[in-house]
Amino acid sequence: MKEIFQLLKKGNKSALTAAIVNVLVSIIKGTTYIFTGNVAMFAETLHSLGDAANQFFVFVGSALSKKRPTKRFPNGFGRVVNLVLLGAVLIVGIMAFETIKEGLAHIFHPTESTGFLINLLVLGVCTILEGFVLVKAMHEIAHDVGLESRGLKLFKDSIANFGKAKAATRLVFLEDSVATGGGLLAMIAIIISYYTPYHQAEGIASVLIGILMFIVVGKVFLDNAAGAIGESDEVMQVQIGQLVMTDPDVQDIQVITVLKEGDFFHVEVEVELDPEMTLAQVDDVKDRLEESILTVKGVVDVLVTFDEDDSISNWEYGDGR
């Protein structure tokens, strides 16, 4: 039990914050829906409930993925976060289906909802809260790639570096982008429905929110299916390859593989050395390379093997010197 609490301290903070905020938001929205019967509010309630459950699972998964390797699982538990995210998207998928179904029912059988001002007020406050979580996720993305962006630059940098962020952070960013946009969409639909006889607007908004949720489901599923299977990271591969080539005794790189396991990386590299080097010299090179590669953020283990220099250049990204 003590180990679990220690691991939870290492969980993704953006996911935990988002889960707490979305629980609060879903309670507020759900209570408002009970009193007003607004279908757009119903869609937003389900959306926030799905996000809350999803992000809580993500927080737990990201924490458990930090567990140290065991004899039974020598490669560690990095992929746990991918497996949890695959399960979590099912929740969002169910909520998205219910949202679309309720929206279609309202389009074909529109009814006039009550509580115009309270609906707008609640959605406005909740959208601000979700926007706060979105900004926090943007800061987390910037932190993951080593940036300290602020203001409009934060928005630009978070989108540009989205793919480099941790899986849990990417999910929070996607979900709260949709949540913030969905809140604004629901507010517009309520205004249209109130000031015009077109009450189907709320149903259309509900359907659109559900579709946006399905888009998030698809994106998260594809990303984490690849992560669960085990995918190479080409950006990290180039970075480590250039680092290896800075060693004065390394003549070339035959093969380099960087396997991503959740938020961690496993590196295997085969380098070419001068065939006249002694075993002691080769061992020194091995120690230097392992020590150097392990300083790269996220790398947890390194396997270095050797071959004799064949005078043919294999490393295509330059020698890094």
PDB file of all heavy atoms in Angstrom, residues 129-155:
ATOM      1  N   LEU A 129     -13.577  27.155 -16.129  1.00  0.00           N
ATOM      2  CA  LEU A 129     -12.850  26.141 -15.360  1.00  0.00           C
ATOM      3  C   LEU A 129     -12.123  25.159 -16.284  1.00  0.00           C
ATOM      4  O   LEU A 129     -10.957  24.801 -16.056  1.00  0.00           O
ATOM      5  CB  LEU A 129     -13.807  25.374 -14.448  1.00  0.00           C
ATOM      6  CG  LEU A 129     -14.373  26.137 -13.248  1.00  0.00           C
ATOM      7  CD1 LEU A 129     -15.442  25.312 -12.542  1.00  0.00           C
ATOM      8  CD2 LEU A 129     -13.253  26.503 -12.272  1.00  0.00           C
ATOM      9  N   GLU A 130     -12.817  24.732 -17.343  1.00  0.00           N
ATOM     10  CA  GLU A 130     -12.207  23.798 -18.287  1.00  0.00           C
ATOM     11  C   GLU A 130     -11.079  24.477 -19.065  1.00  0.00           C
ATOM     12  O   GLU A 130     -10.075  23.848 -19.414  1.00  0.00           O
ATOM     13  CB  GLU A 130     -13.280  23.234 -19.228  1.00  0.00           C
ATOM     14  CG  GLU A 130     -14.178  22.218 -18.530  1.00  0.00           C
ATOM     15  CD  GLU A 130     -15.512  22.000 -19.228  1.00  0.00           C
ATOM     16  OE1 GLU A 130     -15.909  22.865 -20.034  1.00  0.00           O
ATOM     17  OE2 GLU A 130     -16.149  20.981 -18.953  1.00  0.00           O
ATOM     18  N   GLY A 131     -11.254  25.776 -19.325  1.00  0.00           N
ATOM     19  CA  GLY A 131     -10.191  26.533 -19.977  1.00  0.00           C
ATOM     20  C   GLY A 131      -8.946  26.606 -19.102  1.00  0.00           C
ATOM     21  O   GLY A 131      -7.818  26.550 -19.595  1.00  0.00           O
ATOM     22  N   PHE A 132      -9.173  26.702 -17.787  1.00  0.00           N
ATOM     23  CA  PHE A 132      -8.047  26.715 -16.848  1.00  0.00           C
ATOM     24  C   PHE A 132      -7.260  25.410 -16.931  1.00  0.00           C
ATOM     25  O   PHE A 132      -6.018  25.410 -16.948  1.00  0.00           O
ATOM     26  CB  PHE A 132      -8.583  26.917 -15.420  1.00  0.00           C
ATOM     27  CG  PHE A 132      -7.609  26.566 -14.334  1.00  0.00           C
ATOM     28  CD1 PHE A 132      -6.557  27.418 -14.020  1.00  0.00           C
ATOM     29  CD2 PHE A 132      -7.740  25.372 -13.626  1.00  0.00           C
ATOM     30  CE1 PHE A 132      -5.649  27.079 -13.019  1.00  0.00           C
ATOM     31  CE2 PHE A 132      -6.835  25.029 -12.631  1.00  0.00           C
ATOM     32  CZ  PHE A 132      -5.786  25.903 -12.326  1.00  0.00           C
ATOM     33  N   VAL A 133      -7.971  24.283 -16.992  1.00  0.00           N
ATOM     34  CA  VAL A 133      -7.313  22.982 -17.106  1.00  0.00           C
ATOM     35  C   VAL A 133      -6.578  22.870 -18.438  1.00  0.00           C
ATOM     36  O   VAL A 133      -5.471  22.322 -18.516  1.00  0.00           O
ATOM     37  CB  VAL A 133      -8.335  21.837 -16.966  1.00  0.00           C
ATOM     38  CG1 VAL A 133      -7.664  20.487 -17.181  1.00  0.00           C
ATOM     39  CG2 VAL A 133      -9.000  21.878 -15.596  1.00  0.00           C
ATOM     40  N   LEU A 134      -7.183  23.408 -19.494  1.00  0.00           N
ATOM     41  CA  LEU A 134      -6.557  23.384 -20.815  1.00  0.00           C
ATOM     42  C   LEU A 134      -5.233  24.147 -20.797  1.00  0.00           C
ATOM     43  O   LEU A 134      -4.227  23.691 -21.350  1.00  0.00           O
ATOM     44  CB  LEU A 134      -7.509  23.984 -21.850  1.00  0.00           C
ATOM     45  CG  LEU A 134      -6.985  24.092 -23.289  1.00  0.00           C
ATOM     46  CD1 LEU A 134      -6.603  22.714 -23.818  1.00  0.00           C
ATOM     47  CD2 LEU A 134      -8.036  24.737 -24.190  1.00  0.00           C
ATOM     48  N   VAL A 135      -5.226  25.301 -20.174  1.00  0.00           N
ATOM     49  CA  VAL A 135      -3.995  26.098 -20.069  1.00  0.00           C
ATOM     50  C   VAL A 135      -2.936  25.339 -19.271  1.00  0.00           C
ATOM     51  O   VAL A 135      -1.749  25.347 -19.617  1.00  0.00           O
ATOM     52  CB  VAL A 135      -4.278  27.470 -19.434  1.00  0.00           C
ATOM     53  CG1 VAL A 135      -2.971  28.207 -19.134  1.00  0.00           C
ATOM     54  CG2 VAL A 135      -5.147  28.316 -20.355  1.00  0.00           C
ATOM     55  N   LYS A 136      -3.367  24.664 -18.207  1.00  0.00           N
ATOM     56  CA  LYS A 136      -2.431  23.866 -17.406  1.00  0.00           C
ATOM     57  C   LYS A 136      -1.829  22.752 -18.254  1.00  0.00           C
ATOM     58  O   LYS A 136      -0.633  22.454 -18.145  1.00  0.00           O
ATOM     59  CB  LYS A 136      -3.149  23.285 -16.182  1.00  0.00           C
ATOM     60  CG  LYS A 136      -2.216  22.519 -15.246  1.00  0.00           C
ATOM     61  CD  LYS A 136      -2.915  22.134 -13.964  1.00  0.00           C
ATOM     62  CE  LYS A 136      -1.997  21.292 -13.073  1.00  0.00           C
ATOM     63  NZ  LYS A 136      -0.761  21.996 -12.711  1.00  0.00           N
ATOM     64  N   ALA A 137      -2.655  22.120 -19.095  1.00  0.00           N
ATOM     65  CA  ALA A 137      -2.149  21.068 -19.986  1.00  0.00           C
ATOM     66  C   ALA A 137      -1.160  21.645 -20.994  1.00  0.00           C
ATOM     67  O   ALA A 137      -0.154  20.997 -21.335  1.00  0.00           O
ATOM     68  CB  ALA A 137      -3.310  20.394 -20.716  1.00  0.00           C
ATOM     69  N   MET A 138      -1.418  22.869 -21.463  1.00  0.00           N
ATOM     70  CA  MET A 138      -0.478  23.532 -22.376  1.00  0.00           C
ATOM     71  C   MET A 138       0.864  23.753 -21.697  1.00  0.00           C
ATOM     72  O   MET A 138       1.927  23.527 -22.293  1.00  0.00           O
ATOM     73  CB  MET A 138      -1.058  24.874 -22.833  1.00  0.00           C
ATOM     74  CG  MET A 138      -2.220  24.778 -23.787  1.00  0.00           C
ATOM     75  SD  MET A 138      -2.805  26.427 -24.261  1.00  0.00           S
ATOM     76  CE  MET A 138      -4.147  26.007 -25.372  1.00  0.00           C
ATOM     77  N   HIS A 139       0.816  24.188 -20.442  1.00  0.00           N
ATOM     78  CA  HIS A 139       2.062  24.376 -19.681  1.00  0.00           C
ATOM     79  C   HIS A 139       2.798  23.050 -19.513  1.00  0.00           C
ATOM     80  O   HIS A 139       4.038  23.000 -19.566  1.00  0.00           O
ATOM     81  CB  HIS A 139       1.758  24.978 -18.310  1.00  0.00           C
ATOM     82  CG  HIS A 139       1.524  26.453 -18.324  1.00  0.00           C
ATOM     83  ND1 HIS A 139       2.514  27.368 -18.611  1.00  0.00           N
ATOM     84  CD2 HIS A 139       0.396  27.193 -18.104  1.00  0.00           C
ATOM     85  CE1 HIS A 139       2.024  28.593 -18.565  1.00  0.00           C
ATOM     86  NE2 HIS A 139       0.741  28.528 -18.257  1.00  0.00           N
ATOM     87  N   GLU A 140       2.015  21.963 -19.315  1.00  0.00           N
ATOM     88  CA  GLU A 140       2.615  20.643 -19.143  1.00  0.00           C
ATOM     89  C   GLU A 140       3.315  20.201 -20.428  1.00  0.00           C
ATOM     90  O   GLU A 140       4.404  19.617 -20.386  1.00  0.00           O
ATOM     91  CB  GLU A 140       1.531  19.635 -18.770  1.00  0.00           C
ATOM     92  CG  GLU A 140       2.058  18.330 -18.195  1.00  0.00           C
ATOM     93  CD  GLU A 140       2.500  18.442 -16.753  1.00  0.00           C
ATOM     94  OE1 GLU A 140       2.044  19.353 -16.047  1.00  0.00           O
ATOM     95  OE2 GLU A 140       3.329  17.619 -16.349  1.00  0.00           O
ATOM     96  N   ILE A 141       2.696  20.471 -21.577  1.00  0.00           N
ATOM     97  CA  ILE A 141       3.321  20.137 -22.867  1.00  0.00           C
ATOM     98  C   ILE A 141       4.625  20.909 -23.028  1.00  0.00           C
ATOM     99  O   ILE A 141       5.654  20.349 -23.424  1.00  0.00           O
ATOM    100  CB  ILE A 141       2.364  20.450 -24.037  1.00  0.00           C
ATOM    101  CG1 ILE A 141       1.168  19.493 -24.016  1.00  0.00           C
ATOM    102  CG2 ILE A 141       3.094  20.336 -25.386  1.00  0.00           C
ATOM    103  CD1 ILE A 141       0.097  19.820 -25.045  1.00  0.00           C
ATOM    104  N   ALA A 142       4.567  22.208 -22.730  1.00  0.00           N
ATOM    105  CA  ALA A 142       5.773  23.040 -22.830  1.00  0.00           C
ATOM    106  C   ALA A 142       6.867  22.504 -21.900  1.00  0.00           C
ATOM    107  O   ALA A 142       8.048  22.448 -22.274  1.00  0.00           O
ATOM    108  CB  ALA A 142       5.445  24.489 -22.495  1.00  0.00           C
ATOM    109  N   HIS A 143       6.466  22.088 -20.697  1.00  0.00           N
ATOM    110  CA  HIS A 143       7.431  21.551 -19.731  1.00  0.00           C
ATOM    111  C   HIS A 143       8.056  20.255 -20.236  1.00  0.00           C
ATOM    112  O   HIS A 143       9.268  20.031 -20.074  1.00  0.00           O
ATOM    113  CB  HIS A 143       6.736  21.312 -18.390  1.00  0.00           C
ATOM    114  CG  HIS A 143       7.608  20.646 -17.369  1.00  0.00           C
ATOM    115  ND1 HIS A 143       8.625  21.298 -16.717  1.00  0.00           N
ATOM    116  CD2 HIS A 143       7.624  19.362 -16.901  1.00  0.00           C
ATOM    117  CE1 HIS A 143       9.237  20.467 -15.896  1.00  0.00           C
ATOM    118  NE2 HIS A 143       8.648  19.291 -15.989  1.00  0.00           N
ATOM    119  N   ASP A 144       7.233  19.396 -20.859  1.00  0.00           N
ATOM    120  CA  ASP A 144       7.725  18.115 -21.369  1.00  0.00           C
ATOM    121  C   ASP A 144       8.817  18.291 -22.416  1.00  0.00           C
ATOM    122  O   ASP A 144       9.698  17.434 -22.558  1.00  0.00           O
ATOM    123  CB  ASP A 144       6.575  17.295 -21.971  1.00  0.00           C
ATOM    124  CG  ASP A 144       5.647  16.727 -20.904  1.00  0.00           C
ATOM    125  OD1 ASP A 144       6.010  16.782 -19.714  1.00  0.00           O
ATOM    126  OD2 ASP A 144       4.555  16.242 -21.261  1.00  0.00           O
ATOM    127  N   VAL A 145       8.754  19.368 -23.185  1.00  0.00           N
ATOM    128  CA  VAL A 145       9.749  19.600 -24.244  1.00  0.00           C
ATOM    129  C   VAL A 145      10.790  20.641 -23.853  1.00  0.00           C
ATOM    130  O   VAL A 145      11.589  21.081 -24.670  1.00  0.00           O
ATOM    131  CB  VAL A 145       9.062  20.003 -25.574  1.00  0.00           C
ATOM    132  CG1 VAL A 145       8.185  18.887 -26.086  1.00  0.00           C
ATOM    133  CG2 VAL A 145       8.238  21.280 -25.408  1.00  0.00           C
ATOM    134  N   GLY A 146      10.762  21.060 -22.570  1.00  0.00           N
ATOM    135  CA  GLY A 146      11.781  21.971 -22.071  1.00  0.00           C
ATOM    136  C   GLY A 146      11.593  23.425 -22.439  1.00  0.00           C
ATOM    137  O   GLY A 146      12.566  24.180 -22.545  1.00  0.00           O
ATOM    138  N   LEU A 147      10.340  23.867 -22.626  1.00  0.00           N
ATOM    139  CA  LEU A 147      10.067  25.264 -22.960  1.00  0.00           C
ATOM    140  C   LEU A 147       9.399  25.966 -21.781  1.00  0.00           C
ATOM    141  O   LEU A 147       8.757  25.327 -20.952  1.00  0.00           O
ATOM    142  CB  LEU A 147       9.155  25.355 -24.190  1.00  0.00           C
ATOM    143  CG  LEU A 147       9.693  24.749 -25.499  1.00  0.00           C
ATOM    144  CD1 LEU A 147       8.627  24.823 -26.584  1.00  0.00           C
ATOM    145  CD2 LEU A 147      10.949  25.475 -25.949  1.00  0.00           C
ATOM    146  N   GLU A 148       9.551  27.272 -21.722  1.00  0.00           N
ATOM    147  CA  GLU A 148       8.889  28.080 -20.693  1.00  0.00           C
ATOM    148  C   GLU A 148       8.072  29.172 -21.383  1.00  0.00           C
ATOM    149  O   GLU A 148       8.322  30.360 -21.210  1.00  0.00           O
ATOM    150  CB  GLU A 148       9.927  28.691 -19.740  1.00  0.00           C
ATOM    151  CG  GLU A 148      10.666  27.654 -18.915  1.00  0.00           C
ATOM    152  CD  GLU A 148      11.613  28.275 -17.904  1.00  0.00           C
ATOM    153  OE1 GLU A 148      11.642  29.519 -17.829  1.00  0.00           O
ATOM    154  OE2 GLU A 148      12.303  27.526 -17.200  1.00  0.00           O
ATOM    155  N   SER A 149       7.107  28.748 -22.165  1.00  0.00           N
ATOM    156  CA  SER A 149       6.305  29.682 -22.968  1.00  0.00           C
ATOM    157  C   SER A 149       5.230  30.346 -22.123  1.00  0.00           C
ATOM    158  O   SER A 149       4.759  29.783 -21.132  1.00  0.00           O
ATOM    159  CB  SER A 149       5.664  28.941 -24.143  1.00  0.00           C
ATOM    160  OG  SER A 149       6.640  28.241 -24.884  1.00  0.00           O
ATOM    161  N   ARG A 150       4.823  31.527 -22.556  1.00  0.00           N
ATOM    162  CA  ARG A 150       3.772  32.279 -21.882  1.00  0.00           C
ATOM    163  C   ARG A 150       2.868  32.929 -22.926  1.00  0.00           C
ATOM    164  O   ARG A 150       3.255  33.144 -24.068  1.00  0.00           O
ATOM    165  CB  ARG A 150       4.367  33.375 -20.980  1.00  0.00           C
ATOM    166  CG  ARG A 150       5.161  32.868 -19.773  1.00  0.00           C
ATOM    167  CD  ARG A 150       4.253  32.244 -18.719  1.00  0.00           C
ATOM    168  NE  ARG A 150       4.985  31.849 -17.521  1.00  0.00           N
ATOM    169  CZ  ARG A 150       5.587  30.688 -17.370  1.00  0.00           C
ATOM    170  NH1 ARG A 150       5.562  29.814 -18.372  1.00  0.00           N
ATOM    171  NH2 ARG A 150       6.216  30.380 -16.247  1.00  0.00           N
ATOM    172  N   GLY A 151       1.631  33.247 -22.509  1.00  0.00           N
ATOM    173  CA  GLY A 151       0.707  33.980 -23.368  1.00  0.00           C
ATOM    174  C   GLY A 151       0.383  33.250 -24.662  1.00  0.00           C
ATOM    175  O   GLY A 151       0.210  32.023 -24.685  1.00  0.00           O
ATOM    176  N   LEU A 152       0.312  34.004 -25.756  1.00  0.00           N
ATOM    177  CA  LEU A 152      -0.027  33.434 -27.059  1.00  0.00           C
ATOM    178  C   LEU A 152       1.025  32.437 -27.530  1.00  0.00           C
ATOM    179  O   LEU A 152       0.716  31.488 -28.248  1.00  0.00           O
ATOM    180  CB  LEU A 152      -0.201  34.549 -28.094  1.00  0.00           C
ATOM    181  CG  LEU A 152      -1.414  35.473 -27.890  1.00  0.00           C
ATOM    182  CD1 LEU A 152      -1.419  36.590 -28.929  1.00  0.00           C
ATOM    183  CD2 LEU A 152      -2.719  34.676 -27.971  1.00  0.00           C
ATOM    184  N   LYS A 153       2.271  32.659 -27.120  1.00  0.00           N
ATOM    185  CA  LYS A 153       3.347  31.741 -27.510  1.00  0.00           C
ATOM    186  C   LYS A 153       3.122  30.357 -26.898  1.00  0.00           C
ATOM    187  O   LYS A 153       3.470  29.337 -27.504  1.00  0.00           O
ATOM    188  CB  LYS A 153       4.696  32.296 -27.068  1.00  0.00           C
ATOM    189  CG  LYS A 153       5.896  31.593 -27.705  1.00  0.00           C
ATOM    190  CD  LYS A 153       7.182  32.321 -27.371  1.00  0.00           C
ATOM    191  CE  LYS A 153       8.358  31.729 -28.151  1.00  0.00           C
ATOM    192  NZ  LYS A 153       8.581  30.315 -27.884  1.00  0.00           N
ATOM    193  N   LEU A 154       2.524  30.319 -25.711  1.00  0.00           N
ATOM    194  CA  LEU A 154       2.210  29.045 -25.075  1.00  0.00           C
ATOM    195  C   LEU A 154       1.225  28.264 -25.933  1.00  0.00           C
ATOM    196  O   LEU A 154       1.382  27.053 -26.131  1.00  0.00           O
ATOM    197  CB  LEU A 154       1.620  29.284 -23.683  1.00  0.00           C
ATOM    198  CG  LEU A 154       1.114  28.045 -22.936  1.00  0.00           C
ATOM    199  CD1 LEU A 154       2.261  27.083 -22.647  1.00  0.00           C
ATOM    200  CD2 LEU A 154       0.420  28.447 -21.641  1.00  0.00           C
ATOM    201  N   PHE A 155       0.197  28.949 -26.440  1.00  0.00           N
ATOM    202  CA  PHE A 155      -0.802  28.306 -27.297  1.00  0.00           C
ATOM    203  C   PHE A 155      -0.144  27.736 -28.555  1.00  0.00           C
ATOM    204  O   PHE A 155      -0.371  26.586 -28.929  1.00  0.00           O
ATOM    205  CB  PHE A 155      -1.879  29.328 -27.678  1.00  0.00           C
ATOM    206  CG  PHE A 155      -2.950  28.785 -28.577  1.00  0.00           C
ATOM    207  CD1 PHE A 155      -3.965  27.997 -28.077  1.00  0.00           C
ATOM    208  CD2 PHE A 155      -2.930  29.055 -29.935  1.00  0.00           C
ATOM    209  CE1 PHE A 155      -4.958  27.483 -28.905  1.00  0.00           C
ATOM    210  CE2 PHE A 155      -3.912  28.544 -30.780  1.00  0.00           C
ATOM    211  CZ  PHE A 155      -4.926  27.760 -30.256  1.00  0.00           C
TER     212      PHE A 155
END
